[in-house]
Structure formats: C-alpha cells, structure tokens
Amino acid sequence: MVAHGLPAPGTDARYRCLVERDGRIVQIGWMWLDGDLAYWAGPIDHVDDVGRAGDRIVVSLEGDGANPVLTASF
C-alpha cells in the first residue's frame, strides 16, 4: 500500500491501514511516513486473498476509524 500527499498526522498520531470485506474491517498494519509519501508493506494475517472484488483498503488516523482519509476498492 502506497499513498502520496496524505495530510501530516500530527506529532502523536499515526495512520493505520485496514482491509474491509463484507462489512468486517481488519487492521493490517501501521503506515510509515517519509515526507509526503506514506506506505505499508508486510504479511496480511487475518484476511485471505486480499484484492478480491469488493475488498476495500482503508487508511485512517489511529483512533478515528469512522473517518477514513483514503479508500480504494478492488
């Protein structure tokens, strides 16, 4: 997962990366930030075959899952 141009999260906040499938949201990791580039890479332990039709990737600020800052669907 790579994102460009996300707003700076602030000093005590961080972005998390989630997968939503069939109404179930699972956190898969924390985003790393390097300037205006945010990225996450790693194994996905709790969701099989990510990228199926209907899957949605969600990026939100920690503690604010109801307000995603970025979403992408397959």
Side-chain angles (χ1 to χ4, degrees):
M1 170 69 183
V2 176
H4 185 274
L6 290 174
T11 56
D12 293 333
R14 56 187 176 166
Y15 286 109
R16 59 191 186 147
C17 189
L18 308 108
V19 172
E20 181 179 12
R21 177 182 289 164
D22 299 327
R24 181 175 165 239
I25 298 176
V26 177
Q27 181 171 325
I28 58 173
W30 298 102
M31 303 290 284
W32 297 93
L33 297 173
D34 186 7
D36 67 349
L37 182 71
Y39 59 94
W40 173 85
I44 300 174
D45 296 326
H46 303 291
V47 181
D48 295 328
D49 302 327
V50 169
R52 296 188 328 196
D55 283 357
R56 188 168 82 130
I57 300 293
V58 178
V59 174
S60 69
L61 281 171
E62 180 178 14
D64 196 14
N67 296 304
V69 294
L70 177 68
T71 63
S73 296
F74 291 92

